[in-house]
Amino acid sequence: MAEIYTLKGLEDYAHESQMFLKLRTRLLEQVKAAGAESNSIIALHGTEPNIINDSDTEYELYYEAFSFNITGLKDLSCYIIIEIDSGQVHIFVPPFDDVIKAFLLPSTPEAINETYGYNAYYHNNLEQVLSKLNPNCIYLNKGTNTDSGVSTPCSYLNVPELNNYKKDEDLLYKIFAKARSVKLDEEIEIMKRIIKASSEAHIEVMKHCRPGLMEYSLAGVFRGYISTNYGLQYSFKPISASGKTAAVLHYPYMDKRIEDGTIMLCDMGAYGYGYCSDIACSFPANGRFTEKQANIYNIVLKANRAVIQTMRPGMDWTDMHLLAEKIIIEGLVDIGVLKGNVEEIQRKRIGAIFFPHGLGHFLGQDTHDVGGYICGHSRSTEPGIKCLRTRRNLEKNMIITVEPGCYFIDFAIEQGLANTDFQEYFGDKLSEYRDFGGVRIEDDVLVTENGGEILTDVPRTVAQIEALMAGQNWRSV
């Protein structure tokens, strides 16, 4: 495997390209342009270990995205001070005793300075450094994540040493979140490498799939591949759903045996050096699509490709969602699941019964990356549209997922059938698809001046998937 795709390769590239300096410089310029006071600082909390319940053991480590974004700091439990005028970075590491030194590899100021070139101290030097800097204002990173609803990011630094100075909790977050939604070229290069590794892993999943396996086995294939070959980990809890469970959008269990003749939906991504991928593949468990499976799959693929071919900088993401939804409705009318006028069906929001989630989300240092609703857009209250994670206009160098889906969700269909305004639009073929499950096709897409560039590299057509699962060269199909 090429060294540039390993964790070490990603780190070397980031530092050699001065990516974090460029990200930090961009943010500071935007903060100053927004009216930050002179002789002021940004204060952040770095990554903390994620402890399992009340124990002293930890979950896998994910870097705190805001602080990592502009420092590349991997070390834990640090305080970070950045001078807005000069760009100077000050890192404060926690103290440690001999027990910690024996069990772990604790950070020291000397090691921080040697590794990153930052000014470095212990926690107890924070008050002294602040006194020397005497900032006119301390800008803290506080704001609401529009996906999770959490209003205080992990990067919010709340220590008593800051209380003697003027603090601002309003300016920084929106600027920071918006900046993260538009990637530098260096970030794009790193994400391309993560997405490439994830694409390869999805191909391995399809190669290994067969009836009789457990759903969790395919998640294990994915993790084994990205860990063994690249040192990566899951970017989120994987979804490996078969048959009817593929209609559960974030199916949590993966405990069913895969049955012959069912559809698989595998939604999995990799995380490495602070960046994520997120790819969903749908395919037949036995390697051959049935007519019904091919029908639904091709409808969703058509929606996916239409959006990617249409999207450009300046386009409203809501319009892209509605484009995908319209194509799904048209397809369902064509096969007899729905009937009637497509525009009426869409206007009545019946399409959201089968495509209930948003078209996609920003991707970066979080799987559902920040910046979705920070530019004056508000969430819709209409079915389907209300689930969009952003309604912004697209900008060059955004990376966003395009993931239309079509699902046969029992309770949603029952609600639709019970609605007297909807009943005339359900076709005779609906009952034949009730046990189908669902299909989602998710690509990671870079917004360029010329349109959407697909970064995912997996078989997508019915013929390509069947060729791969038959042991043939899918790229020649």
Side-chain angles (χ1 to χ4, degrees), residues 174-187:
K174 288 185 178 181
I175 297 170
F176 210 157
K178 186 177 181 182
R180 279 179 51 190
S181 69
V182 178
K183 305 298 186 284
L184 296 186
D185 291 343
E186 292 80 7
E187 291 183 283

Side-chain angles (χ1 to χ4, degrees), residues 185-200:
D185 291 343
E186 292 80 7
E187 291 183 283
I188 292 168
E189 178 61 30
I190 285 180
M191 290 188 66
K192 283 181 175 179
R193 298 177 186 186
I194 300 290
I195 294 165
K196 177 182 182 296
S198 305
S199 298
E200 292 174 4

Side-chain angles (χ1 to χ4, degrees), residues 157-221:
L157 184 60
N158 184 18
V159 292
E161 289 89 343
L162 306 183
N163 293 338
N164 295 326
Y165 303 89
K166 176 184 175 182
K167 293 184 287 186
D168 184 297
E169 297 182 348
D170 299 320
L171 180 73
L172 180 60
Y173 182 84
K174 288 185 178 181
I175 297 170
F176 210 157
K178 186 177 181 182
R180 279 179 51 190
S181 69
V182 178
K183 305 298 186 284
L184 296 186
D185 291 343
E186 292 80 7
E187 291 183 283
I188 292 168
E189 178 61 30
I190 285 180
M191 290 188 66
K192 283 181 175 179
R193 298 177 186 186
I194 300 290
I195 294 165
K196 177 182 182 296
S198 305
S199 298
E200 292 174 4
H202 271 283
I203 289 171
E204 290 300 309
V205 167
M206 284 186 258
K207 286 180 179 178
H208 281 79
C209 183
R210 64 182 185 275
L213 289 179
M214 301 298 290
E215 292 168 330
Y216 54 68
S217 299
L218 298 186
V221 170

Side-chain angles (χ1 to χ4, degrees), residues 295-412:
N295 285 343
I296 300 302
Y297 187 89
N298 284 327
I299 290 168
V300 176
L301 181 61
K302 183 179 180 181
N304 170 282
R305 291 308 189 243
V307 168
I308 295 170
Q309 290 167 10
T310 304
M311 58 194 285
R312 298 283 190 282
M315 286 191 165
D316 187 326
W317 190 240
T318 307
D319 292 340
M320 296 297 95
H321 176 91
L322 293 173
L323 171 63
E325 183 185 70
K326 183 178 181 181
I327 291 170
I328 291 169
I329 293 170
E330 289 172 342
L332 293 176
V333 169
D334 287 343
I335 64 174
V337 170
L338 292 174
K339 63 181 181 180
N341 181 273
V342 170
E343 285 72 24
E344 284 184 18
I345 293 171
Q346 186 165 35
R347 187 169 60 252
K348 289 177 178 287
R349 307 305 308 137
I350 296 170
I353 295 171
F354 302 95
F355 178 27
H357 60 74
L359 176 62
H361 52 82
F362 291 135
L363 185 67
Q365 291 184 292
D366 292 315
T367 302
H368 296 157
D369 215 8
V370 293
Y373 285 89
I374 57 169
C375 297
H377 296 84
S378 59
R379 284 191 184 272
S380 171
T381 58
E382 296 187 41
I385 302 172
K386 68 182 180 181
C387 295
L388 281 168
R389 294 182 184 274
T390 185
R391 297 183 68 192
R392 287 173 59 184
N393 291 344
L394 296 175
E395 298 180 36
K396 179 184 175 183
N397 282 11
M398 286 177 168
I399 295 181
I400 195 164
T401 65
V402 176
E403 50 179 302
C406 183
Y407 315 86
F408 293 82
I409 304 169
D410 281 335
F411 82 86

